[in-house]
Amino acid sequence: MDSQTLMMLSEKYIAHTYARYPILLVRGKGTRVWDKEGKEYLDFVAGLAVCNVGHSHPKVVKAIQSQAEKLIHVSNFYYIEPQIQLASLLCQHSFADKAFFCNSGAEANEGAMKLARKYAKEKMKGDRYEIITMERSFHGRTLATLTATAQEKFHKGYSPLMPGFKYVPFNDLKAVGESIDAKTCAVMLEPIQGEGGVNCPSEGYLKGLREICDEKGILLIFDEVQVGMGRTGKLFAYEHEGIEPDLMTLAKALAGGVPIGALLIKKEIAGSFEPGDHASTFGGNPLATAAGVAALTAILEEKMLENCQEVGDYFLDRLKRVKEKFSFIREVRGKGLILGMELNMDGGSIVKEMMRKGFLINCTMGNVLRFLPPLIVTKREVDQMVKALQEVFNGIS
Ligand SMILES: Cc1ncc(COP(=O)(O)O)c(C=O)c1O
């Protein structure tokens, strides 16, 4: 079937929750994807920070193939070998002592919020259930994670929202301190806000939050769904700050493109989840966790963190140079390979023009171009993309 017919069928049969670009991608390898007509694109979206190891990484493909031949799914009533391997690896490489597996970022955040409430009931004085989140955050689309997401545009049409959330501005320690009261059990945030426009924490902000949470005896939850798994140049973004959260959520890049989510937990808190308290049929199933082991191993063994740091610094510098040339660029920011370019105009047409030239980029918040290439991207590929971007900008100014 040709792509025009397929797109027509998509419009007919698939719920319109996405405004799609008119291309149909059928193949990917490394940093590149191809559409049905054979046109090649250099991918600076990477499935929205999912394909950190690149498309169809051989280790991930092999792990999926061999696991699929052995065992695709069994219930969590039984022990699951790749699940145990992935949990061990995650705990060995992070602050955490235990992992809970699920299938998406939203589900991981739901788990974190449920555990925070349960832990508070058992271990904190009084009735603490409220969670403080940050303006311009994004935590998912389920009712609770949508409520945690402090952006009104996502709330429209879904009231009444969940009780038990308070919002404060990002990068404002004083506001957090003032918002904590006898009901607060946790502060939850993305160490770098992704969907909210690639907003970075100011110097000392995350450390300050850790101190406030310790002082008040409440939990600090990091949502590393977008920035985890090497995206910032460390395996987890919290590592840049010399602090640790109490809970951390992962999803997106964790299994190299196979749906998965995880909640990583410190030992003293993990005890508040007992059998029956929380669950997920597919959570940590053999196929997804085998892919997860392969993806994590690839990140660590193939020096992707080093490449992310080196190429990320280079990329940031190139974007800053572009900013000097065009007055409509407000700011360039980010860390590793999550970079944003804020414009003083809508970025939608730029994304389309870049696509025409064979480059996939994203725009968030209407005016922030976001770049999330696979961690294996090269300086040459960055140069190609930046050159094309400048050509598009030249056509505007
Ligand atoms: C920081 C963050 N948290 C949570 C989510 C939700 O993840 P999912 O779409 O897998 O539910 C996202 C998705 O973009 C995200 O960026």
Side-chain angles (χ1 to χ4, degrees), residues 104-106 109 138-140 190 195 223 225-226 252:
S104 69
N109 286 334
F138 187 85
H139 297 295
E190 302 149 79
E195 301 303 305
D223 174 345
V225 166
Q226 187 159 149
K252 287 192 183 279

Side-chain angles (χ1 to χ4, degrees), residues 47 53 174 205 210 245 255 334 346:
V53 297
K174 193 160 163 274
Y205 174 62
R210 180 69 275 177
D346 188 83

